[in-house]
Every structure is written in C-alpha cells, then in structure tokens.
Amino acid sequence: MRTPAHDAVPEDGAAEASPRDGEAALRAPLTRGDRAAAGEFYDSYAPRVRRFIAGSLGSFGTRQDAEDLMQETFISMAEALPFFRGESTLFTFACAIAHRKVQSFIQTGARRARLAAGIDLSAQATEQGGTRDGALLRALDAISPDYRELLHLKYVEDASVAEIAAIRGESEHAVESRLARARRSLKKLMGRRR
Amino acid sequence: MNRRRDDGQAEDADLARRMRAAASGNGSAAGDKLRERFSARLSESAARTGVVPIEIDGRKLEARRGATVLAAAMKNGIRLMHVCGARKLCATCRVKITAGAEYLTPMSAQERLSLRAHLSLGSRTRLACQARIEGPIEAATVFPLCGDLPESADGGKMEDSE
C-alpha cells in the first residue's frame, strides 16, 4: 500500500520554503554546523528537494529509489554545506546536488532491466493517471528524464533560467533552447495520447 | 504578434498549474530519521573543515583544504601526469571539473594562458597543479594515469632483451 500523501504538501511550493531574505540568516549557523539550523533547513527544504527528485526521476525509479536518492542528497549536502559561501540560493545548491545524484542514478542504468520488464512502474503511472491529470502524467512518463527535470524546475518550482542553469551546470542559452524543445516534446506527447 | 505572445503565456500558465497539481503528492514522507542523520552529519563535517571530501573519477577521497588538486590526487594514489613538474607549462595534469568549480581558487593569468596554448581552455577544465581546493569538488581525469600505459606500449621488448 502506498501512503496517501496528497494532504501533507500545499500545491504551490510557496508555503513550505522560507522566502529568500530569510536565507542569509539561516546560512551562517548552517555553515557552522548548528544542529537547530540543520533541522530548520531540513524542514523547509526537504519537501521541495523530495518533490524535485520525484519529479525528475519520474517513471525511471520507484518510490524507494527516490527515497534512497533523497538520503544520498542530504548526506552529500551535509558534507558540502560547511563550504557553502552563498553564491547561489540554498535551493539551487540543494537541487544541484540532487540533480547530480539523479543523473548518475539514471546513467548507471541499474534499473533498466526492471524498466524493460515493465514491472510496477507502469502500474503506478496508470493508477495515478486514473485519478488525476492522466494525459499529462502519461506524457511526463514517456518524455526523456532530461526534459522532465527541466519542465519540473520551470513549472513546478518556478525556477528562473539562471537558476536552472546553475543547478544543471549548463549555460543559460543551452537551458533556454532545451526548455523550448522539452515543451514541444511534451505537447506532442500529450496530443498523441489524449 | 502580441496576441500570439499572450496565447503562449496563457498556455505556459496552464501547463504550470497542471504540472503543480500532478506533482502535489510527491513532497511528503516521514523523514525524521534522515533529519537526524543530516543534522548529525552536518555538525560533524562543520567541525573539521580542514579536510574536504572530494571525488576524482568517481573515487571518494579526502583532501587537505588549500591543497592543489594534483597534490590531493597523488596523495591518494591517483597518479596524474604532470610532465613539466607542476610549473603550469605542459597542461598534462589538466582535469575536468564536473561539479563544484566555484570551490577552486580562481584561475591565474598563466594558467589561462597555458590552457589556451593547449587548446583546452573551457569553463570546466583546470590545471590540477594550480587549482587549490577550498570545498567539495568532483573531477574527472583527462589523460591516462602514470603507470596505466597499456601492456603493449613497451612493445614486449623488456621480455625480449632478457
């Protein structure tokens, strides 16, 4: 049984993450390793990071995979935070680490065999698709993971092109043109399956 | 023209709304254990910032803060080539920085010149003998490591001469 998780997170990411001006105040104790600040950081960013991982992983992994990646991300973050100097926002910093974890997970292709066998993943997709926006969910499942991540950052997290570029380590120009292609691809997939 | 742009924006807003609704269940899970682990690990790693966790070719290593990438690699048994003796001439020690480039000391004019002379000046390439580690980085080697030459490279002459 999967846990019904719809009620815990507000629909738009506005409520759970603190506004940017609160960040500087949080950053100083965080880089010193203050435990209370660490807890606060976890509380305000974990839902968004988890959602980012789930969004960019899509049908490529199970919930357990997403949870594993979540753990890896936060442990790496704990090691990297003392060196963080605030060149980017904390969310960008967190997503950049999560992005690399997800990419290396996808690249290792450890789950390819299971994907090919088509176990439980398609079931998960249709189950969700039955109750919610089916056309969109199916299209997101079919689209390439790279595009899915871009679309998630742009539309769910409402990240700017500059932020996306920082997260993915690409140029803004590259992000813009990829985004356009991702949108086209999504539209095409949605049109076909409707 | 304007109308077309308006249509595009409306479409964008609609897509954003739908994607948010679709992602709404993905953020939550009971993660108190992870919260604890995260806080503990953070205070642990903040207590010893003289040591930096780095990754070269996927191997997790520890480097002294302020050491060059070359020194950190050699100390950990990753024998990067450095034909000129770390004098920023040969660029054989160059590595590709796959993450955390902002945690390396800025590039000097000579390093830039050397990389440009070897046609490898890019946003992610650094000379390992010059870049000093100030925070966690991930790097990938460019050249084969010393001692990693294929067996056939000596043409089998070693055995013949005996």
Side-chain angles (χ1 to χ4, degrees), chain A residues 16-191:
Chain A
E16 69 244 42
S18 51
R20 298 226 165 121
D21 35 300
E23 262 202 30
L26 187 58
R27 202 177 68 230
L30 258 185
T31 49
R32 282 199 309 270
D34 183 77
R35 292 188 80 138
E40 197 183 321
F41 172 81
Y42 183 88
D43 290 341
S44 51
Y45 287 92
R48 285 176 79 188
V49 173
R50 181 175 273 119
R51 191 171 61 183
F52 168 75
I53 291 173
S56 56
L57 201 59
S59 61
F60 208 90
T62 59
R63 269 184 182 232
Q64 187 54 48
D65 294 330
E67 203 49 42
D68 290 349
L69 285 169
M70 176 80 184
Q71 300 216 0
E72 280 178 37
T73 301
F74 268 86
I75 295 307
S76 287
M77 228 172 341
E79 282 170 357
L81 262 173
F83 303 96
F84 182 62
R85 289 184 303 230
E87 293 94 343
S88 60
T89 62
L90 280 167
F91 181 65
T92 307
F93 166 80
C95 273
I97 292 179
H99 163 74
R100 289 201 297 278
K101 297 286 176 202
V102 172
Q103 287 310 303
S104 71
F105 175 80
I106 289 175
Q107 274 160 18
T108 53
R111 312 287 147 165
R112 261 173 221 282
R114 199 198 296 171
L115 247 195
I119 311 167
D120 89 3
L121 300 178
S122 51
Q124 187 177 326
T126 46
E127 182 189 313
Q128 283 180 353
T131 54
R132 290 194 267 157
D133 198 341
L136 176 66
L137 281 168
R138 275 195 300 272
L140 282 174
D141 271 342
I143 206 166
S144 88
D146 193 44
Y147 287 169
R148 188 163 51 224
E149 182 184 85
L150 273 169
L151 291 168
H152 179 90
L153 283 170
K154 165 86 178 150
Y155 291 110
V156 181
E157 299 300 345
D158 204 16
S160 69
V161 170
E163 283 171 323
I164 300 176
I167 288 169
R168 294 166 53 93
E170 292 172 346
S171 73
E172 292 184 27
H173 186 76
V175 168
E176 262 170 14
S177 58
R178 270 169 172 276
L179 247 176
R181 264 177 276 156
R183 252 190 307 254
R184 266 203 300 280
S185 169
L186 184 72
K187 225 180 269 175
K188 209 167 147 192
L189 284 166
M190 274 160 69

Side-chain angles (χ1 to χ4, degrees), chain B residues 58-69:
Chain B
R59 271 182 61 190
K60 289 189 195 319
L61 317 167
E62 288 193 333
R64 188 176 55 79
R65 192 172 189 167
T68 61
V69 176

Side-chain angles (χ1 to χ4, degrees), chain B residues 8 40 51 55 70 81 156 158-159:
Chain B
V51 184
E55 226 177 285
L70 179 63
M81 245 192 257
M158 300 272 278
E159 281 171 27

